[in-house]
Amino acid sequence: MRCSTISSRYVLLGLLVWLTCVPVALAASAGAQRASISYHADSQIFRMDAAHISYIMGVGPNGILQTLYWGERLQPRDRLRKAKPSHKRSSWEPKGSLTPQEYGAWGGNNVLTPAIKVHFADGNRDLVLRYEGHHIDGNELKITLTDKRAGIDVTLHYVVDPGTGIIGRSARVENHSGQVVTVDRMAAATWNLPRGDDYSLRYLGGKWAGEWNLYTRPVTQGTMVLQSRRGSTGDKNNPWFAIEDGDDWQEANGRVWFGALAWSGSWRISVDQDVFGHVHVTGGFNPFDFSWRLEPGASLRSPTFYAGYTDQGIGEASRLLHHFELTRIVPGYPHPPLRRVLYNSWEATGFDVTAAGQMKLAERAAKLGVELFVMDDGWFGERNSDHAGLGDWFANPEKFPHGLKPLIDKVHSLGMAFGIWVEPEMVNPDSDLYREHPDWVLHFKGRPRTQARHQLVLNLARDDVRDYVFHAIDRLLSNNDIQFLKWDYNRYWTEPGWPGVAPDEQQKVYVKYIRNLYGILRELRKRHPGVEIESCSSGGARVDLGILGLTDEVWPSDNTDPSDRLTIQDGFTYAYAPGLMMAWVTDSPNWVNHRATSLDFRFLSSMQGGLGIGANILEWNDAQMDKAKYYVEAYKNIRRTVQRGRLYRLISPQHQSPYSATESVARDGSQAVLFAFQRMGHEATPHSRLRLRGLDRQARYRYRVIHGKVLKGTPDVASGSYWMNYGIQILMRGDMQATGVVFERID
């Protein structure tokens, strides 16, 4: 399965640009509601109130900035006592050493995982950051911490989303010491939770074709680490976390703190619990193999770490994140366009791509009501297999003797937009690009260059490589009427050397690469504003709020088996909105595990995200074509609700559950869509009665079935209260059964 996948100054918090790790834009929408940020000089307390949360910090008598409260919103007259260091416990935990610092440095008596660690040219490694001043501007707060003797300033940036209460935090370190300072570790933030002894952690992990598994672990004394050290985010761990006060993890109840790191490079999130029971979550650049020299007067900015809180369970935590992503992160916010129904050519043609063959597929796809036709791998350079061609971004003259224009014109004449697959960050050794510039890849001088999938990673940290990649894709888009890029990234880093710079500068590659990647995407979007970009990385290996700030959707997994996809898609939605997730209907038996499923099951499984078709439709008979056309039309009638509505996970498919059920509710409550699945029937056990959620209790809703059966005698029309309390009984018998039901509010 093929997947696919420049401002010079920092703008405070909301609009992080060229040198930041993600294009944050919390403060910038017209008419946006303001959060309340205040500072009480007498107590030196900062307070942020937004939506349902309050976040409160204080400056202690020693000048240390510490977290005082983060949870359900307090009343305006409520006051907290002044900050003070933690009590001394023993000589192993001296007074103040366990204080929940907002941004602790490695130095003094801090024994917790530091947010920042540096070393100076004179040998000093001690750094203690104390409050110096602050500035409040609407929904944004800037606090300056300093170690005056060492000559280091750190500016903490906070930006609060009024609608969800989610806070974005980043940090900027400046060297005023007069000597070279090397940053060994730099986080975006430390999030401090209240004292407790029954916390549990949830996180997402997996492997290729088995991404987005949900794991739960108790939080105990010590440190748990989630990370990627491979140059990019990856499928082993995703940079998202959720922590609950307890371990029952109900969808609708429970105190949950959650967060996501907006960074597409190597990252690390550590979860520490100290001897007093406080939990500290610190996230940012991965310190492994990382080093950043700061000359006098220079600075470095961290990624952004977002986090939120709810007392309404993990389901509401997900919905808050979904809403935040759609209204504050993804391109086109706060009203990003809906995803079109697409067809992708990979499974039909593989590398055997020709103009005539693609035209036949396009004609067939148009009959289904497809809106976007995407030509996948195999169209460029000497690309007849995955051994050659990457880096040579021109149409193969034998496959396309007249260039891409005839095919693109054909697709447009059929009423569809045209898309194309690229993998710009990679190169095959068998390519014109590599033969001309073998030094452009990540490598150590005189050491082997390990290939994966017969390709090497271009060193995008180099400005000449950045310029080449940008101009190659810009030229492709400028010379052809293309509406969609499937941007792929199919391997991790190995041998991450950069011989072109001084040895003590080479470890900057982890940050400069990602900054240049963001810069390329940002400039391409500026020059070609109508082009939609999908991010992919051998499936869902590079999914994070950083890449999502510059791409419209992501490909969550190369595994398109519709049963496996229930678990994959469920895990994805804990951290990311369904409307950002592409899901394809492919052939049966599926290529991953040879499981056979009905076309009904495949469509209903894929209709829970952005719908695509990737099957070889040239081999479909008339009945299959008619059924597919029916489902495409049905999806268009519900896609706004699915892609932009509120998601309720009614039955989880995790842990190989035989059942799964999700419900999406339109933002205005006018429509709800129920998807129910039975992977395996046993002992004539009926599917559970499903009680809906999120409806208008007083309104009346009429149901209609997309596919499947409901219990005879179910009322055609009933109140929202009825559907949520009594529910609806789905009838399914046998294996791999699926039902889709739409509820429409009657005005």
Side-chain angles (χ1 to χ4, degrees):
M1 170 68 57
R2 297 295 306 140
C3 62
S4 23
T5 354
I6 285 182
S7 177
S8 62
R9 189 179 169 208
Y10 298 112
V11 178
L12 294 180
L13 308 163
L15 301 172
L16 305 183
V17 290
W18 172 249
L19 294 181
T20 63
C21 57
V22 59
V24 182
L26 294 188
S29 64
Q33 176 187 356
R34 289 197 169 197
S36 171
I37 301 179
S38 60
Y39 174 69
H40 302 275
D42 55 342
S43 59
Q44 289 192 290
I45 286 178
F46 296 91
R47 174 168 172 166
M48 291 180 262
D49 295 291
H52 56 284
I53 70 99
S54 292
Y55 190 93
I56 304 176
M57 304 169 286
V59 180
N62 55 2
I64 300 298
L65 181 67
Q66 64 186 79
T67 311
L68 298 179
Y69 176 83
W70 181 26
E72 194 64 20
R73 189 163 184 163
L74 303 181
Q75 294 300 310
R77 295 182 181 179
D78 292 334
R79 293 288 184 267
L80 298 185
R81 66 179 184 178
K82 295 182 66 173
K84 61 180 181 179
S86 298
H87 297 292
K88 178 179 179 179
R89 176 179 169 84
S90 73
S91 60
W92 293 97
E93 298 99 17
K95 184 177 182 180
S97 67
L98 301 179
T99 300
Q101 297 189 45
E102 280 287 294
Y103 200 83
W106 191 78
N109 61 8
N110 182 19
V111 299
L112 297 172
T113 298
I116 187 169
K117 179 183 180 298
V118 304
H119 71 265
F120 296 78
D122 63 6
N124 175 44
R125 302 193 305 279
D126 185 62
L127 186 67
V128 178
L129 297 173
R130 306 181 191 278
Y131 171 76
E132 178 69 14
H134 72 275
H135 177 72
I136 298 172
D137 184 9
N139 298 342
E140 303 179 16
L141 168 65
K142 176 176 69 173
I143 299 177
T144 300
L145 308 179
T146 187
D147 186 323
K148 292 184 178 180
R149 178 176 295 182
I152 297 294
D153 289 350
V154 173
T155 303
L156 307 182
H157 298 264
Y158 300 76
V159 59
V160 189
D161 179 34
T164 63
I166 290 176
I167 300 171
R169 292 181 56 187
S170 63
R172 181 172 181 257
V173 58
E174 299 175 82
N175 177 15
H176 301 293
S177 69
Q179 60 178 306
V180 173
V181 176
T182 301
V183 180
D184 302 307
R185 173 195 296 265
M186 188 173 187
T190 294
W191 302 98
N192 298 301
L193 278 62
R195 182 182 302 179
D197 58 4
D198 193 27
Y199 285 118
S200 57
L201 168 72
R202 276 193 164 178
Y203 61 96
L204 294 162
K207 58 186 180 297
W208 176 80
E211 301 91 338
W212 306 104
N213 294 297
L214 183 66
Y215 297 99
T216 304
R217 298 286 186 272
V219 176
T220 57
Q221 281 191 31
T223 303
M224 290 182 283
V225 175
L226 309 174
Q227 67 175 335
S228 172
R229 306 190 311 187
R230 304 179 180 183
S232 69
T233 42
D235 43 31
K236 181 181 179 181
N237 286 152
N238 187 267
W240 168 88
F241 78 91
I243 295 176
E244 186 187 51
D245 186 6
D247 61 0
D248 55 352
W249 288 100
Q250 297 181 37
E251 280 287 314
N253 296 288
R255 298 200 302 164
V256 179
W257 293 262
F258 57 93
L261 188 63
W263 183 240
S264 306
S266 292
W267 60 274
R268 174 185 167 115
I269 296 175
S270 63
V271 180
D272 296 88
Q273 186 175 54
D274 63 30
V275 297
F276 292 143
H278 293 112
V279 174
H280 317 276
V281 182
T282 303
F285 298 134
N286 195 316
F288 176 80
D289 199 37
F290 168 81
S291 177
W292 192 283
R293 279 170 52 91
L294 288 178
E295 298 291 336
S299 64
L300 172 65
R301 188 161 192 163
S302 77
T304 300
F305 199 177
Y306 296 101
Y309 166 83
T310 180
D311 65 353
Q312 298 178 46
I314 188 64
E316 182 64 12
S318 296
R319 288 185 290 276
L320 288 169
L321 260 178
H322 298 169
H323 187 63
F324 173 75
E325 291 157 0
L326 294 172
T327 60
R328 293 292 185 263
I329 294 291
V330 299
Y333 73 89
H335 305 293
L338 297 175
R339 304 278 69 81
R340 291 171 284 201
V341 178
L342 69 80
Y343 178 79
N344 182 282
S345 68
W346 173 252
E347 290 201 8
T349 61
F351 293 106
D352 188 17
V353 174
T354 65
Q358 296 294 302
M359 288 181 186
K360 288 181 181 179
L361 282 170
E363 290 172 348
R364 196 78 161 159
K367 293 179 180 179
L368 301 177
V370 166
E371 300 159 309
L372 169 62
F373 179 87
V374 182
M375 178 171 62
D376 211 281
D377 200 352
W379 62 270
F380 55 91
E382 296 299 322
R383 190 70 165 175
N384 297 307
S385 70
D386 61 7
H387 289 67
L390 281 179
D392 301 337
W393 299 109
F394 55 87
N396 182 291
E398 295 181 3
K399 299 178 179 184
F400 298 90
H402 304 291
L404 298 176
K405 189 176 188 303
L407 171 60
I408 295 173
D409 289 347
K410 176 67 173 181
V411 169
H412 290 163
S413 73
L414 294 168
M416 297 182 292
F418 179 80
I420 199 166
W421 181 94
V422 292
E423 191 174 4
E425 299 165 70
M426 304 292 166
V427 64
N428 289 123
D430 186 4
S431 67
D432 293 343
L433 178 64
Y434 187 80
R435 284 184 283 270
E436 185 176 352
H437 297 288
D439 57 325
W440 277 12
V441 299
L442 292 172
H443 70 285
F444 291 111
K445 187 176 181 179
R447 302 293 298 170
R449 304 182 182 191
T450 303
Q451 296 182 36
R453 202 174 173 270
H454 314 292
Q455 62 194 53
L456 298 168
V457 183
L458 288 171
N459 184 359
L460 218 60
R462 292 177 55 136
D463 290 344
D464 49 0
V465 176
R466 176 201 65 193
D467 293 345
Y468 173 82
V469 170
F470 169 74
H471 289 301
I473 304 305
D474 178 57
R475 184 166 53 249
L476 175 66
L477 296 176
S478 298
N479 294 341
N480 300 280
D481 193 5
I482 294 170
Q483 289 74 52
F484 178 94
L485 281 180
K486 193 167 177 65
W487 188 293
D488 212 342
Y489 175 88
N490 271 316
R491 62 158 293 181
Y492 293 119
W493 296 11
T494 54
E495 298 96 27
W498 186 0
V501 298
D504 55 9
E505 295 286 333
Q506 290 193 25
Q507 289 166 291
K508 291 182 176 181
V509 66
Y510 294 98
V511 174
K512 284 196 170 184
Y513 182 108
I514 301 303
R515 288 177 172 174
N516 280 349
L517 170 63
Y518 289 165
I520 290 168
L521 290 169
R522 185 177 296 111
E523 189 65 18
L524 286 173
R525 299 199 71 95
K526 179 180 177 181
R527 294 200 186 188
H528 308 280
V531 175
E532 180 181 345
I533 304 177
E534 178 186 299
S535 174
C536 173
S537 178
S538 292
R542 188 165 70 182
V543 180
D544 55 80
L545 294 187
I547 205 71
L548 279 169
L550 291 159
T551 60
D552 301 274
E553 69 262 11
V554 296
W555 179 239
S557 178
D558 284 349
N559 186 347
T560 57
D561 173 79
S563 178
D564 287 350
R565 268 295 184 120
L566 294 179
T567 302
I568 290 168
Q569 293 172 179
D570 176 80
F572 181 95
T573 65
Y574 279 86
Y576 304 103
L580 306 176
M581 171 183 69
M582 295 306 298
W584 293 359
V585 176
T586 57
D587 283 319
S588 178
N590 190 270
W591 69 276
V592 172
N593 51 29
H594 300 284
R595 180 185 286 124
T597 52
S598 69
L599 198 54
D600 302 296
F601 193 99
R602 282 176 272 159
F603 262 100
L604 290 172
S605 176
S606 296
M607 288 165 68
Q608 294 176 99
L611 176 64
I613 300 173
N616 186 356
I617 55 178
L618 295 177
E619 297 182 352
W620 281 7
N621 58 35
D622 290 345
Q624 289 172 307
M625 291 291 290
D626 289 343
K627 180 171 287 190
K629 183 177 181 180
Y630 164 78
Y631 278 113
V632 168
E633 185 61 29
Y635 178 76
K636 291 176 181 178
N637 290 327
I638 63 172
R639 69 171 146 194
R640 178 171 295 278
T641 297
V642 171
Q643 294 183 20
R644 299 293 177 259
R646 300 186 300 273
L647 175 70
Y648 296 90
R649 294 181 289 259
L650 304 183
I651 300 178
S652 172
Q654 297 288 330
H655 311 298
Q656 302 301 313
S657 167
Y659 307 113
S660 176
T662 65
E663 176 201 2
S664 299
V665 182
R667 289 282 163 186
D668 63 1
S670 62
Q671 185 185 72
V673 185
L674 172 67
F675 294 103
F677 302 89
Q678 182 168 289
R679 287 164 159 166
M680 180 180 66
H682 59 92
E683 299 177 349
T685 302
H687 198 287
S688 299
R689 181 185 293 139
L690 297 173
R691 296 172 178 86
L692 306 190
R693 297 188 57 205
L695 302 182
D696 182 339
R697 294 183 178 275
Q698 305 301 319
R700 296 180 65 76
Y701 291 84
R702 183 189 305 275
Y703 85 88
R704 58 181 172 86
V705 177
I706 299 176
H707 174 77
K709 296 180 180 180
V710 302
L711 184 67
K712 187 177 181 179
T714 299
D716 294 335
V717 178
S719 69
S721 182
Y722 176 92
W723 297 122
M724 290 192 292
N725 291 293
Y726 186 81
I728 186 169
Q729 181 68 59
I730 303 297
L731 300 180
M732 289 189 285
R733 300 187 66 179
D735 298 342
M736 299 300 158
Q737 300 297 307
T739 298
V741 184
V742 180
F743 298 81
E744 305 280 3
R745 185 174 62 197
I746 301 174
D747 294 326

